[in-house]
Amino acid sequence: PGIVREKLAQQARGHIEGITLSSLLQILNLERKSCALHVESEGRLGELVFESGEMIHAEIDGAVGLDAVHAILGWAEPTIEIGATPSRPSRTIGIELLHILLESARRKDEEEHARTRPATTG
């Protein structure tokens, strides 16, 4: 966590490795940071925007808001770059980060359960 705090102290700009995306989001929330995260995984790009510790916007190709957040949180081993908050960020998310993370974890559990459950025949 030392390097994460160091990067966040540098005007919330930098590149983060070795920490999960959900853990980083919780740190941004706790530290009440404003920044934009540029997330990449397997050729897909997404953006998460924080203002005073709350996620206010998420975007990927073809989706914004909660749909985009849940898609990004499901990506395997993303690369995360921290940048400045856009000067006029649009608000597409209006619920607390904790609720977003809990819903994302629930969805991930359901997907995992569906993959490992044997198919039933009628």
Side-chain angles (χ1 to χ4, degrees), residues 48-113:
L48 303 173
V49 179
F50 275 77
E51 192 171 77
S52 300
E54 284 300 324
M55 187 185 304
I56 63 164
H57 178 69
E59 187 172 341
I60 58 173
D61 187 35
V64 296
L66 292 174
D67 289 339
V69 173
H70 293 304
I72 293 169
L73 287 171
W75 291 353
E77 300 181 26
T79 300
I80 306 162
E81 185 177 313
I82 302 173
T85 306
S87 58
R88 293 186 168 214
S90 56
R91 180 177 282 275
T92 59
I93 298 171
I95 64 173
E96 293 181 20
L97 180 64
L98 177 61
H99 297 296
I100 294 169
L101 294 175
L102 289 172
E103 175 64 14
S104 181
R106 184 191 66 77
R107 289 181 183 202
K108 197 175 232 178
D109 286 347
E110 283 183 359
E111 289 172 11
E112 186 64 32
H113 186 68

